[in-house]
Amino acid sequence: ISAAATTATLRLLGAPCLRRPDGSVHFLERLEAALLAHLLIEGPASRAAMAALLWPQVDAEHARGNLRQRLRRLKAAAGFDLLAGSDPLLRVRADLAHDLGGAGDAGAELLEGLDFADVEGLHDWVMTARERVGSARRAALEHEATQLEAAGHIAAALRVAERLLDIDATDEAAHRRVMRLHHTRGDRAAALYAFHHCKDLLARE
C-alpha cells in the first residue's frame, strides 16, 4: 500500500482534481478525468478498450500510444501511480480515496464543466454516467434522511432533505419531506413557506 495514495483524494464530482498528500491540487485534464471515472464506475477495463473509447478518431496503435503517454503524465503529476500496477486490466488502486459511491457534494455533477461532444462514444457514456451517479446520490440522501427522521433527528434530516433540493429543485418528494419535517419540528410558518415556495417554483417550471 502506498502512503501517498492513502492520503490523496480523487475528486470527480465538480471540477475533477486530485488532492495530493501535501495538500496541493492537480486539476485533471478531461480525458484523464474520464478515464478514472470510467474505471471507477464501470470497473476494470482492458487498455485496448479504454484507448478506443478515449481516442476513437485514430488507429488502435496510436490510441494505445496516447494512453501510455497519458498514464505516464498522470503518474508524474500525482507523484504516484493511481492505477494498480500488476493487473493486465486497468483499474484504479483500491487504497485511493474518491468521492464516488456516496452522496457527495449536493450540487456537484460528475466531471462538471467538461465537454466531450467531440469524442464519439465517450460523450454518450458521460451523459449516461452523470444520470446514474446523480440517481445513486439522490437515493443515498433519501435513505439517510429517512433513517435520521425515523431516529428522531429531525434537524439533521431537514438538512439532508435540503441537500436533495440542491440537486433537483423540482423534486416534489423532497419538497414534501421538507414541509413535513418543518411541521414535525413545530415550525408551521416554515412549513407554509416551503409549501408556497414549492408551488411557485413548480408553476414557473
Side-chain angles (χ1 to χ4, degrees), residues 5-204:
T6 57
T7 55
T9 304
L10 179 63
R11 302 292 185 191
L12 294 172
L13 299 176
C17 65
L18 177 73
R19 184 171 295 278
R20 301 184 183 97
D22 63 3
S24 62
V25 174
H26 167 64
F27 286 96
L28 298 170
E29 188 273 335
R30 64 173 187 153
L31 293 184
E32 296 172 349
L35 167 66
L36 295 168
H38 193 284
L39 294 176
L40 283 169
I41 293 170
E42 305 294 347
S46 70
R47 293 173 184 270
M50 290 309 306
L53 180 67
L54 298 174
W55 293 279
Q57 72 278 15
V58 302
D59 62 68
E61 182 178 354
H62 281 91
R64 287 194 297 270
N66 289 343
L67 179 62
R68 285 192 298 271
Q69 272 191 347
R70 196 58 55 98
L71 292 177
R72 283 196 295 268
R73 285 168 49 187
L74 189 56
K75 181 178 180 180
F80 62 93
D81 199 337
L82 278 69
L83 304 182
S86 58
D87 198 307
L89 296 178
L90 293 173
R91 66 175 73 231
V92 177
R93 56 188 307 149
D95 56 342
L96 179 63
H98 60 82
D99 60 351
L100 299 183
D105 293 334
E109 182 180 59
L110 177 70
L111 307 181
E112 192 168 286
L114 299 183
D115 182 8
F116 299 91
D118 60 325
V119 187
E120 183 182 356
L122 181 59
H123 172 75
D124 293 339
W125 178 82
V126 169
M127 299 303 291
T128 300
R130 282 174 174 163
E131 179 56 36
R132 286 168 56 192
V133 169
S135 295
R137 291 163 62 208
R138 289 192 295 272
L141 286 170
E142 288 165 1
H143 177 73
E144 183 181 357
T146 298
Q147 295 294 101
L148 288 168
E149 184 177 0
H153 303 307
I154 305 304
L158 181 58
R159 287 193 294 271
V160 175
E162 288 170 343
R163 290 180 66 195
L164 282 163
L165 291 179
D166 287 338
I167 294 175
D168 181 4
T170 64
D171 184 342
E172 292 186 55
H175 280 287
R176 288 195 297 271
R177 188 189 293 271
V178 167
M179 295 175 213
R180 183 178 68 250
L181 291 168
H182 279 306
H183 184 268
T184 301
R185 295 181 74 191
D187 193 341
R188 184 172 181 273
L192 284 172
Y193 175 82
F195 167 74
H196 288 296
H197 174 68
C198 173
K199 181 181 176 182
D200 292 345
L201 186 146
L202 294 179
R204 289 195 302 271

